[in-house]
Amino acid sequence: TAFADYILMDPSEEYGPIFALMQEKIYMSKIVVEFLQKNRDATYEDLLNKIETTVPPAGLNFNCFTEDTLLRHAQFVVEQVESYDEAGDSDEQPIIVTPCM
């Protein structure tokens, strides 16, 4: 508001499922972008291995990532990779063109 900032620690029960889905998408995107930054020659199988061996942060409504998780959020993840590339310097190679993607 104009008078204060509020930090909400947990969503209400009504909004919890929406926030859980968004957190899953965010963490999946983070894993993919960070992996592609460091492994430009990686294959799809390499990415899947990274995703499946990454433990999500504690306190979330899910306890593992799978290929189904990636596929369920594929459009969002691709859009985040594209956004990452657009924000990069002109001399940086885009990660959207890596073999994995």
Side-chain angles (χ1 to χ4, degrees), residues 23-33 51 65-66 69-70 73 77:
Q23 287 176 318
E24 189 176 72
K25 288 179 177 184
I26 290 167
Y27 285 110
M28 178 62 64
S29 298
K30 180 180 185 299
I31 292 167
V32 171
V33 168
I51 288 169
F65 293 113
T66 65
T69 312
L70 176 62
H73 303 305
V77 171

Side-chain angles (χ1 to χ4, degrees), residues 34-97:
E34 288 178 350
F35 179 77
L36 293 177
Q37 285 175 319
K38 297 173 186 165
N39 303 285
R40 293 189 174 268
D41 295 326
T43 65
Y44 180 71
E45 289 74 22
D46 296 331
L47 176 62
L48 284 181
N49 184 51
K50 174 64 177 173
I51 288 169
E52 291 173 349
T53 58
T54 299
V55 178
L60 301 178
N61 291 342
F62 51 95
N63 58 7
C64 68
F65 293 113
T66 65
E67 182 177 15
D68 288 339
T69 312
L70 176 62
L71 296 176
R72 187 170 50 251
H73 303 305
Q75 183 65 39
F76 182 83
V77 171
V78 169
E79 289 169 1
Q80 295 306 303
V81 170
E82 289 172 337
S83 177
Y84 175 83
D85 283 343
E86 288 171 10
D89 293 334
S90 60
D91 63 335
E92 286 183 277
Q93 274 291 72
I95 60 175
I96 193 74
V97 297

